[in-house]
Amino acid sequence: GKKEENAQFICANCKSDVLPLQTGSYRNHCPFCLTSLHVDNTPGDRKNRCHGLMMPCRAIYKGNKGWQIVHKCKKCGHEKANKIAEGCIQPDNWDIIVALS
């Protein structure tokens, strides 16, 4: 279920302790360095076998979703846009987001 996937984790990149989101969404990247892991085919399914580091490469603005971070997998090159986490215990690092945009 959703509760198991939205779990606390240690960032594979910067080793920060990342808390789950309390907003009903999945926390799919580190709020400190914005790195993600290539583990999902669809959000929260944990069925992708790549497991490469997904590095933030740019920030984009989509009218209906607002600002998003585009992650690119260092292992396979797959790109995916992820919603920015705001107004929560550990909001995303805006200094990095601004640098990406």
Side-chain angles (χ1 to χ4, degrees):
K2 199 166 195 168
K3 195 172 172 68
E4 291 81 42
E5 283 89 21
N6 188 30
Q8 186 169 351
F9 63 90
I10 302 294
C11 177
N13 185 54
C14 74
K15 310 301 181 222
S16 292
D17 192 8
V18 179
L19 301 172
L21 285 176
Q22 306 299 319
T23 60
S25 291
Y26 291 109
R27 166 88 73 187
N28 63 1
H29 58 269
C30 174
F32 305 105
C33 72
L34 307 185
T35 301
S36 184
L37 272 181
H38 195 186
V39 293
D40 291 348
N41 291 324
T42 57
D45 71 4
R46 304 301 189 253
K47 289 183 178 169
N48 194 294
R49 304 242 181 264
C50 177
H51 288 244
L53 276 182
M54 300 279 290
M55 304 307 288
C57 58
R58 63 188 179 278
I60 57 172
Y61 187 83
K62 288 227 168 131
N64 58 337
K65 292 189 175 184
W67 282 100
Q68 293 183 301
I69 301 161
V70 178
H71 288 96
K72 184 172 185 169
C73 183
K74 285 175 79 172
K75 197 169 167 185
C76 75
H78 177 75
E79 286 193 10
K80 178 155 180 21
N82 290 296
K83 222 172 134 182
I84 288 169
E86 299 178 274
C88 54
I89 298 168
Q90 293 175 327
D92 285 349
N93 183 331
W94 270 99
D95 292 338
I96 299 175
I97 295 165
V98 168
L100 293 171
S101 60

